[in-house]
Amino acid sequence: MCGIVGIVAKSYVNQTIFDALTVLQHRGQDAAGMVTCEGNRFFLRKDNGLVNEVFRTRHMKKLNGNMGIGHVRYPTAGSSSSAEAQPFYVNSPYGIALAHNGNLTNADQLADEIFRSDLRHINTTSDSEVLLNIFAHELQQIGKLQPSADDIFQAVEKVHSRCQGGYAVVAIITGYGIVAFRDPCGIRPVVYGKRVNEQGEEEYMVASESVALDTAGFEMVRDLIPGEAIFIDIEGKVSTRQCAATSKVAPCLFEYVYLARPDSIIDGVSVHHSRMEMGVKLADKVRRVMPEHDIDVIIPIPDTSRTAALEMANSLGVTFREGFIKNRYIGRTFIMPGQTQRKKSVRQKLNPIQAEFRDKVVMLVDDSIVRGTTSKQIVQMAREAGARKVYFASAAPEVRFPNVYGIDMPSATELIAHGRTADEVGEYIGCDWMMYQDLQDLKDSVSAFNPEITEFDTCVFDGQYVTGTVDQAYLARVDAKRNDDAKQADPSDAEDGNESADLHNKID
């Protein structure tokens, strides 16, 4: 999971891109980058770190131009060196810089094709650089000195025909404009919007989430539909086209569970409202399976589960309380190379308010359970704080399979629910009762707000990969890269260069 943004305006865009990346910081805290364009020249700044660490005043002063793109990155398997930070750049044709959110499942094959057939060199392990070179090659094959919108859309069509996986892309072509496109299943989100400046001129932005538009004063126009591309030229003329031969709406269900900010709207669905509905569905399940429940208090595990927990409490008529205080200044632990480091960080990050637990039957609510490491320690913390019983509810179903579309889930064998029942997970984490959201209920929590969404990417829950291009051989390679043994063997290679994983500072 990463965040992307692109802007075409009538004045310098560096500050607006900086602000948008700050708002999208939850989608990537490993590295940040920005490319702006003035005339026929690019200006680039990227490095490891948070947005406000990468872009200092001295850098911002050099990022000239009325159009530009930006990126915040989480890493996956490979290298976390600054060489993997985006955007990436090629000088032929025209000069193109590109940033990407997602993952290409046929990146190895494409990298070989690029070398042998396209005669291009890939300098990193990032599939974003692969995608950039595919796009650049296809645009170069058209062979025009000055590309039109039709030419650019033709190149995007070729990208869709060659690339497999989930991807949301924004690219800038020197002196011409910005192009953005979305994979044919719409797994990763992209929206665009416009605003009118003080001179009455229209300016445009594309971004991963609508919240980036809101904070910059852009009015959301709509989501890009799966397989669609948008081209905004340097004068602000907008063109769109469906560039995929076949497409379907199948957004990533985990975006709504907790990847996206609650104040975003994705594919016409308010993330906040969908999470409220998840809480109602959890309450319904409690009434079905434990109608005579003895829950005294419902406590969320900060932060993403708060909305669902509150609605669950309201629906059940049970007291809602904040029981954990979160230290926001502790680094990420989800992608630490070994369990020892993860375990060490949990108690530094969360501390219970003992009065909310003492002598009570407590229902803890989290958005999901990945490894179970955090959940186990949190249950223990609740008991030490004096809870009489500890129940645990997950707003998402059991996470049993790896994600291959841009979320760096652990190896399947390290997922606590892989090969276990809910009761067995509950026994492992030490709670008195374990309850997961039903998958259909989770789907209904989203589609209730947009009935046109009838299919989702649910691969982490049911092992069904919507692109239809993922086989066991690929999953085996993913497993070999992501398991803790591989990461501990070479910690410098533990995480890399394109997409996600900490998932909002999740500490599982």
Side-chain angles (χ1 to χ4, degrees), residues 174-196:
T174 318
Y176 291 100
I178 284 176
V179 59
F181 53 93
R182 192 178 184 188
D183 70 81
C185 292
I187 298 171
R188 303 266 72 90
V190 190
V191 300
Y192 81 95
K194 71 176 180 179
R195 71 181 179 189
V196 178

Side-chain angles (χ1 to χ4, degrees), residues 290-395:
M290 190 187 279
E292 303 299 325
H293 72 80
D294 56 350
I295 302 169
D296 294 319
V297 62
I298 291 178
I299 293 176
I301 297 171
D303 283 314
T304 320
S305 63
R306 185 173 288 114
T307 303
L310 179 58
E311 289 305 303
M312 183 184 183
N314 288 340
S315 182
L316 288 174
V318 173
T319 300
F320 172 88
R321 286 286 188 267
E322 295 285 351
F324 291 101
I325 300 301
K326 184 176 181 179
N327 183 346
R328 302 182 183 278
Y329 304 98
I330 298 295
R332 307 193 312 269
T333 55
F334 180 94
I335 57 173
M336 283 184 175
Q339 292 285 59
T340 302
Q341 289 174 276
R342 294 187 195 102
K343 291 177 180 178
K344 190 181 299 183
S345 297
V346 175
R347 290 178 181 267
Q348 296 174 339
K349 197 160 195 172
L350 292 178
N351 193 51
I353 302 172
Q354 292 193 8
E356 300 298 346
F357 293 89
R358 190 174 299 119
D359 299 325
K360 296 176 182 177
V361 176
V362 177
M363 170 64 85
L364 301 178
V365 180
D366 205 353
D367 45 67
S368 59
I369 304 175
V370 182
R371 283 186 169 95
T373 310
T374 299
S375 304
K376 187 173 185 176
Q377 292 185 72
I378 288 174
V379 169
Q380 182 61 32
M381 290 164 67
R383 292 198 186 282
E384 291 173 358
R388 187 156 46 91
K389 292 182 184 177
V390 181
Y391 301 153
F392 203 107
S394 168

Side-chain angles (χ1 to χ4, degrees), residues 125-142:
T125 60
S126 174
D127 59 349
S128 301
E129 191 185 13
V130 171
L131 204 157
L132 167 60
N133 277 273
I134 294 287
F135 177 64
H137 173 77
E138 298 300 342
L139 195 54
Q140 189 165 30
Q141 293 302 104
I142 296 171

